Amino acid sequence: MSDLTTTTATGAGAGAEAGGTGASGDIGVDARLEGHRTELTGYCYRMLGSAFEAEDAVQDTLVRAWRNFDKFEGRSSLRSWLYRIATNVCLDMLNAGNKRARPVDLTGPTPLAQAALTPRPENVWLEPMPDGRVLPTVQDPAEAAVARESVRLAFIAALQHLPPKQRAVLILREVLAWKAAEVAELLETSVASVNSALQRARATLTEREGRVPDAADPLDEEQRKLLERYVKAFEGYDMAALTALLHEDAVMTMPPFDLWLRGTSDITGFMTTIGAACAGSRLVPVPANGSPGFAHYKPDPEGSGFVPWAVQVIDIQDGAVSGMHCFLDVERWFPLFGLPDRLPAATAGE
């Protein structure tokens, strides 16, 4: 965990703050803490709705744990102790008023005739997240499915409507399967309070989640074929073929713009007018938010090859594409997903 030790070593007396464990001891502590990074990132992402804030929160958690490791007396597991720290970090961040949203949470759909691309600040938007940063490898298929469902965009968006402590309770109880007594100890409250918060949180989520996309863990044969047809139609900019694949109430969102579209005619109409520069694009599969996703590269207007345009997260419902969520801030998203900054023409299949 070189980034963690670098951070802590810059302050005076960093070794003393960590209990004077010495170089060999530090390496052991670093490894133990680092082993929890992925699951903690998943927890903080669910709490905060932001990929970058989640990673900042985890880094803060691990630094605090490193500095105070000598005070960890083993009265709880290391994992529980780290979750306590992470929860406090997230609650502090949420007390600053952070609340992320999707375009569909802020306004109604815009008719194509009135479409205008109006950006909102970065801190308004729910952010996408690569699966590999938030989903630890687990052997139990049922556990893996729950983990994937709990990072879907719709679920993360619904969580944003919960007060911070209710959010923590629901995630710990429903997603991570902690016992009520364990959550009560972590939050320094009573079991009755935890159970009451969970009941209220469940009621809010029932109201807010709306249409739930079909499970995609793993993709079944029908879903794989649907996505293959989607790629072919999108790359060929074949609007008739794309229309045949879209749910009649499909939505298309494009953060940081607050515009969103509903229905096949408005979506394909937008793509052939305002979005016409995307004709001839290439899609590269990328797992995001427990869902199918693609890195969208459009033709380079200044030469050959393809340049980043968006990270798409795809919802599937009833055998059709029900959501195309296109995150356009490529300077943020493509490095986060480890994607190249361009595709050569030959590599892209020209």
Side-chain angles (χ1 to χ4, degrees), residues 164-185:
K165 286 195 175 180
Q166 279 189 33
R167 201 178 305 180
V169 167
L170 186 130
I171 296 167
L172 291 166
R173 291 282 285 119
E174 299 283 88
V175 178
L176 301 176
W178 284 39
K179 297 177 181 178
E182 295 171 329
V183 177
E185 181 179 359

PDB file of all heavy atoms in Angstrom, residues 164-185:
ATOM      1  N   PRO A 164     -28.635   9.960   5.839  1.00  0.00           N
ATOM      2  CA  PRO A 164     -27.354   9.239   5.889  1.00  0.00           C
ATOM      3  C   PRO A 164     -27.327   8.006   6.782  1.00  0.00           C
ATOM      4  O   PRO A 164     -26.833   6.956   6.374  1.00  0.00           O
ATOM      5  CB  PRO A 164     -26.378  10.313   6.364  1.00  0.00           C
ATOM      6  CG  PRO A 164     -26.941  11.588   5.818  1.00  0.00           C
ATOM      7  CD  PRO A 164     -28.432  11.425   5.936  1.00  0.00           C
ATOM      8  N   LYS A 165     -27.860   8.095   7.993  1.00  0.00           N
ATOM      9  CA  LYS A 165     -27.784   6.934   8.887  1.00  0.00           C
ATOM     10  C   LYS A 165     -28.718   5.820   8.428  1.00  0.00           C
ATOM     11  O   LYS A 165     -28.383   4.643   8.558  1.00  0.00           O
ATOM     12  CB  LYS A 165     -28.074   7.345  10.332  1.00  0.00           C
ATOM     13  CG  LYS A 165     -26.909   8.100  10.972  1.00  0.00           C
ATOM     14  CD  LYS A 165     -27.035   8.198  12.477  1.00  0.00           C
ATOM     15  CE  LYS A 165     -25.788   8.839  13.082  1.00  0.00           C
ATOM     16  NZ  LYS A 165     -25.888   8.957  14.568  1.00  0.00           N
ATOM     17  N   GLN A 166     -29.872   6.164   7.878  1.00  0.00           N
ATOM     18  CA  GLN A 166     -30.731   5.121   7.308  1.00  0.00           C
ATOM     19  C   GLN A 166     -30.025   4.430   6.154  1.00  0.00           C
ATOM     20  O   GLN A 166     -30.131   3.220   5.976  1.00  0.00           O
ATOM     21  CB  GLN A 166     -32.040   5.734   6.808  1.00  0.00           C
ATOM     22  CG  GLN A 166     -33.084   5.977   7.871  1.00  0.00           C
ATOM     23  CD  GLN A 166     -34.411   6.383   7.255  1.00  0.00           C
ATOM     24  OE1 GLN A 166     -34.765   5.946   6.159  1.00  0.00           O
ATOM     25  NE2 GLN A 166     -35.159   7.221   7.968  1.00  0.00           N
ATOM     26  N   ARG A 167     -29.312   5.200   5.370  1.00  0.00           N
ATOM     27  CA  ARG A 167     -28.561   4.648   4.246  1.00  0.00           C
ATOM     28  C   ARG A 167     -27.542   3.634   4.750  1.00  0.00           C
ATOM     29  O   ARG A 167     -27.414   2.529   4.215  1.00  0.00           O
ATOM     30  CB  ARG A 167     -27.855   5.790   3.510  1.00  0.00           C
ATOM     31  CG  ARG A 167     -27.451   5.481   2.092  1.00  0.00           C
ATOM     32  CD  ARG A 167     -26.802   6.693   1.424  1.00  0.00           C
ATOM     33  NE  ARG A 167     -27.632   7.891   1.464  1.00  0.00           N
ATOM     34  CZ  ARG A 167     -27.283   9.055   0.952  1.00  0.00           C
ATOM     35  NH1 ARG A 167     -26.119   9.183   0.349  1.00  0.00           N
ATOM     36  NH2 ARG A 167     -28.093  10.093   1.032  1.00  0.00           N
ATOM     37  N   ALA A 168     -26.801   3.999   5.798  1.00  0.00           N
ATOM     38  CA  ALA A 168     -25.798   3.095   6.361  1.00  0.00           C
ATOM     39  C   ALA A 168     -26.453   1.829   6.900  1.00  0.00           C
ATOM     40  O   ALA A 168     -25.968   0.712   6.671  1.00  0.00           O
ATOM     41  CB  ALA A 168     -25.013   3.802   7.459  1.00  0.00           C
ATOM     42  N   VAL A 169     -27.562   1.987   7.598  1.00  0.00           N
ATOM     43  CA  VAL A 169     -28.260   0.825   8.160  1.00  0.00           C
ATOM     44  C   VAL A 169     -28.707  -0.121   7.059  1.00  0.00           C
ATOM     45  O   VAL A 169     -28.487  -1.340   7.132  1.00  0.00           O
ATOM     46  CB  VAL A 169     -29.472   1.278   9.006  1.00  0.00           C
ATOM     47  CG1 VAL A 169     -30.384   0.084   9.324  1.00  0.00           C
ATOM     48  CG2 VAL A 169     -29.010   1.929  10.303  1.00  0.00           C
ATOM     49  N   LEU A 170     -29.325   0.416   6.021  1.00  0.00           N
ATOM     50  CA  LEU A 170     -29.831  -0.448   4.958  1.00  0.00           C
ATOM     51  C   LEU A 170     -28.695  -1.185   4.258  1.00  0.00           C
ATOM     52  O   LEU A 170     -28.799  -2.378   3.979  1.00  0.00           O
ATOM     53  CB  LEU A 170     -30.645   0.359   3.956  1.00  0.00           C
ATOM     54  CG  LEU A 170     -31.321  -0.525   2.905  1.00  0.00           C
ATOM     55  CD1 LEU A 170     -32.789  -0.198   2.758  1.00  0.00           C
ATOM     56  CD2 LEU A 170     -30.621  -0.405   1.553  1.00  0.00           C
ATOM     57  N   ILE A 171     -27.606  -0.495   3.963  1.00  0.00           N
ATOM     58  CA  ILE A 171     -26.492  -1.145   3.278  1.00  0.00           C
ATOM     59  C   ILE A 171     -25.889  -2.237   4.152  1.00  0.00           C
ATOM     60  O   ILE A 171     -25.632  -3.364   3.703  1.00  0.00           O
ATOM     61  CB  ILE A 171     -25.422  -0.109   2.885  1.00  0.00           C
ATOM     62  CG1 ILE A 171     -25.987   0.889   1.872  1.00  0.00           C
ATOM     63  CG2 ILE A 171     -24.197  -0.805   2.296  1.00  0.00           C
ATOM     64  CD1 ILE A 171     -25.117   2.116   1.673  1.00  0.00           C
ATOM     65  N   LEU A 172     -25.657  -1.918   5.413  1.00  0.00           N
ATOM     66  CA  LEU A 172     -25.034  -2.892   6.304  1.00  0.00           C
ATOM     67  C   LEU A 172     -25.937  -4.105   6.534  1.00  0.00           C
ATOM     68  O   LEU A 172     -25.473  -5.249   6.543  1.00  0.00           O
ATOM     69  CB  LEU A 172     -24.681  -2.230   7.638  1.00  0.00           C
ATOM     70  CG  LEU A 172     -23.550  -1.195   7.576  1.00  0.00           C
ATOM     71  CD1 LEU A 172     -23.518  -0.357   8.848  1.00  0.00           C
ATOM     72  CD2 LEU A 172     -22.201  -1.888   7.373  1.00  0.00           C
ATOM     73  N   ARG A 173     -27.230  -3.866   6.691  1.00  0.00           N
ATOM     74  CA  ARG A 173     -28.148  -4.968   6.983  1.00  0.00           C
ATOM     75  C   ARG A 173     -28.536  -5.757   5.715  1.00  0.00           C
ATOM     76  O   ARG A 173     -28.470  -6.980   5.694  1.00  0.00           O
ATOM     77  CB  ARG A 173     -29.421  -4.424   7.651  1.00  0.00           C
ATOM     78  CG  ARG A 173     -29.202  -3.894   9.054  1.00  0.00           C
ATOM     79  CD  ARG A 173     -29.108  -5.009  10.106  1.00  0.00           C
ATOM     80  NE  ARG A 173     -30.417  -5.566  10.379  1.00  0.00           N
ATOM     81  CZ  ARG A 173     -30.765  -6.837  10.188  1.00  0.00           C
ATOM     82  NH1 ARG A 173     -29.902  -7.699   9.671  1.00  0.00           N
ATOM     83  NH2 ARG A 173     -31.976  -7.261  10.488  1.00  0.00           N
ATOM     84  N   GLU A 174     -28.932  -5.052   4.656  1.00  0.00           N
ATOM     85  CA  GLU A 174     -29.505  -5.715   3.490  1.00  0.00           C
ATOM     86  C   GLU A 174     -28.454  -6.181   2.481  1.00  0.00           C
ATOM     87  O   GLU A 174     -28.632  -7.213   1.848  1.00  0.00           O
ATOM     88  CB  GLU A 174     -30.483  -4.766   2.783  1.00  0.00           C
ATOM     89  CG  GLU A 174     -31.665  -4.329   3.635  1.00  0.00           C
ATOM     90  CD  GLU A 174     -32.730  -5.406   3.754  1.00  0.00           C
ATOM     91  OE1 GLU A 174     -32.618  -6.235   4.671  1.00  0.00           O
ATOM     92  OE2 GLU A 174     -33.668  -5.411   2.936  1.00  0.00           O
ATOM     93  N   VAL A 175     -27.401  -5.388   2.319  1.00  0.00           N
ATOM     94  CA  VAL A 175     -26.385  -5.725   1.323  1.00  0.00           C
ATOM     95  C   VAL A 175     -25.274  -6.570   1.933  1.00  0.00           C
ATOM     96  O   VAL A 175     -24.878  -7.605   1.383  1.00  0.00           O
ATOM     97  CB  VAL A 175     -25.788  -4.448   0.688  1.00  0.00           C
ATOM     98  CG1 VAL A 175     -24.688  -4.802  -0.305  1.00  0.00           C
ATOM     99  CG2 VAL A 175     -26.881  -3.627   0.020  1.00  0.00           C
ATOM    100  N   LEU A 176     -24.772  -6.140   3.073  1.00  0.00           N
ATOM    101  CA  LEU A 176     -23.628  -6.816   3.689  1.00  0.00           C
ATOM    102  C   LEU A 176     -24.031  -7.863   4.719  1.00  0.00           C
ATOM    103  O   LEU A 176     -23.168  -8.564   5.251  1.00  0.00           O
ATOM    104  CB  LEU A 176     -22.703  -5.777   4.333  1.00  0.00           C
ATOM    105  CG  LEU A 176     -22.157  -4.729   3.345  1.00  0.00           C
ATOM    106  CD1 LEU A 176     -21.321  -3.685   4.080  1.00  0.00           C
ATOM    107  CD2 LEU A 176     -21.331  -5.388   2.259  1.00  0.00           C
ATOM    108  N   ALA A 177     -25.330  -7.960   4.999  1.00  0.00           N
ATOM    109  CA  ALA A 177     -25.884  -9.007   5.875  1.00  0.00           C
ATOM    110  C   ALA A 177     -25.325  -8.961   7.292  1.00  0.00           C
ATOM    111  O   ALA A 177     -25.126  -9.993   7.929  1.00  0.00           O
ATOM    112  CB  ALA A 177     -25.655 -10.390   5.265  1.00  0.00           C
ATOM    113  N   TRP A 178     -25.103  -7.756   7.813  1.00  0.00           N
ATOM    114  CA  TRP A 178     -24.715  -7.627   9.213  1.00  0.00           C
ATOM    115  C   TRP A 178     -25.945  -7.861  10.086  1.00  0.00           C
ATOM    116  O   TRP A 178     -27.078  -7.576   9.690  1.00  0.00           O
ATOM    117  CB  TRP A 178     -24.179  -6.231   9.491  1.00  0.00           C
ATOM    118  CG  TRP A 178     -22.783  -5.983   8.983  1.00  0.00           C
ATOM    119  CD1 TRP A 178     -22.231  -6.419   7.819  1.00  0.00           C
ATOM    120  CD2 TRP A 178     -21.769  -5.219   9.635  1.00  0.00           C
ATOM    121  NE1 TRP A 178     -20.950  -5.984   7.694  1.00  0.00           N
ATOM    122  CE2 TRP A 178     -20.631  -5.239   8.791  1.00  0.00           C
ATOM    123  CE3 TRP A 178     -21.710  -4.524  10.829  1.00  0.00           C
ATOM    124  CZ2 TRP A 178     -19.448  -4.582   9.122  1.00  0.00           C
ATOM    125  CZ3 TRP A 178     -20.542  -3.858  11.164  1.00  0.00           C
ATOM    126  CH2 TRP A 178     -19.418  -3.901  10.319  1.00  0.00           C
ATOM    127  N   LYS A 179     -25.705  -8.335  11.290  1.00  0.00           N
ATOM    128  CA  LYS A 179     -26.780  -8.499  12.259  1.00  0.00           C
ATOM    129  C   LYS A 179     -27.153  -7.129  12.845  1.00  0.00           C
ATOM    130  O   LYS A 179     -26.331  -6.215  12.894  1.00  0.00           O
ATOM    131  CB  LYS A 179     -26.354  -9.446  13.376  1.00  0.00           C
ATOM    132  CG  LYS A 179     -26.058 -10.866  12.891  1.00  0.00           C
ATOM    133  CD  LYS A 179     -25.576 -11.739  14.039  1.00  0.00           C
ATOM    134  CE  LYS A 179     -25.264 -13.153  13.555  1.00  0.00           C
ATOM    135  NZ  LYS A 179     -24.737 -14.008  14.658  1.00  0.00           N
ATOM    136  N   ALA A 180     -28.405  -7.026  13.297  1.00  0.00           N
ATOM    137  CA  ALA A 180     -28.868  -5.749  13.848  1.00  0.00           C
ATOM    138  C   ALA A 180     -28.004  -5.309  15.017  1.00  0.00           C
ATOM    139  O   ALA A 180     -27.694  -4.118  15.174  1.00  0.00           O
ATOM    140  CB  ALA A 180     -30.331  -5.868  14.276  1.00  0.00           C
ATOM    141  N   ALA A 181     -27.585  -6.259  15.853  1.00  0.00           N
ATOM    142  CA  ALA A 181     -26.758  -5.910  17.011  1.00  0.00           C
ATOM    143  C   ALA A 181     -25.396  -5.371  16.572  1.00  0.00           C
ATOM    144  O   ALA A 181     -24.845  -4.458  17.205  1.00  0.00           O
ATOM    145  CB  ALA A 181     -26.577  -7.127  17.907  1.00  0.00           C
ATOM    146  N   GLU A 182     -24.851  -5.923  15.491  1.00  0.00           N
ATOM    147  CA  GLU A 182     -23.557  -5.451  14.981  1.00  0.00           C
ATOM    148  C   GLU A 182     -23.674  -4.029  14.441  1.00  0.00           C
ATOM    149  O   GLU A 182     -22.791  -3.193  14.665  1.00  0.00           O
ATOM    150  CB  GLU A 182     -23.057  -6.393  13.889  1.00  0.00           C
ATOM    151  CG  GLU A 182     -22.728  -7.791  14.378  1.00  0.00           C
ATOM    152  CD  GLU A 182     -22.431  -8.762  13.245  1.00  0.00           C
ATOM    153  OE1 GLU A 182     -23.001  -8.592  12.147  1.00  0.00           O
ATOM    154  OE2 GLU A 182     -21.632  -9.692  13.461  1.00  0.00           O
ATOM    155  N   VAL A 183     -24.768  -3.749  13.738  1.00  0.00           N
ATOM    156  CA  VAL A 183     -24.977  -2.402  13.203  1.00  0.00           C
ATOM    157  C   VAL A 183     -25.207  -1.414  14.341  1.00  0.00           C
ATOM    158  O   VAL A 183     -24.703  -0.287  14.321  1.00  0.00           O
ATOM    159  CB  VAL A 183     -26.161  -2.386  12.223  1.00  0.00           C
ATOM    160  CG1 VAL A 183     -26.424  -0.975  11.711  1.00  0.00           C
ATOM    161  CG2 VAL A 183     -25.905  -3.330  11.062  1.00  0.00           C
ATOM    162  N   ALA A 184     -25.959  -1.837  15.346  1.00  0.00           N
ATOM    163  CA  ALA A 184     -26.209  -0.965  16.495  1.00  0.00           C
ATOM    164  C   ALA A 184     -24.904  -0.607  17.202  1.00  0.00           C
ATOM    165  O   ALA A 184     -24.691   0.550  17.591  1.00  0.00           O
ATOM    166  CB  ALA A 184     -27.167  -1.655  17.471  1.00  0.00           C
ATOM    167  N   GLU A 185     -24.014  -1.586  17.344  1.00  0.00           N
ATOM    168  CA  GLU A 185     -22.728  -1.310  17.977  1.00  0.00           C
ATOM    169  C   GLU A 185     -21.901  -0.351  17.128  1.00  0.00           C
ATOM    170  O   GLU A 185     -21.296   0.589  17.644  1.00  0.00           O
ATOM    171  CB  GLU A 185     -21.953  -2.611  18.186  1.00  0.00           C
ATOM    172  CG  GLU A 185     -20.611  -2.414  18.873  1.00  0.00           C
ATOM    173  CD  GLU A 185     -19.867  -3.721  19.084  1.00  0.00           C
ATOM    174  OE1 GLU A 185     -20.400  -4.782  18.704  1.00  0.00           O
ATOM    175  OE2 GLU A 185     -18.746  -3.674  19.626  1.00  0.00           O
TER     176      GLU A 185
END
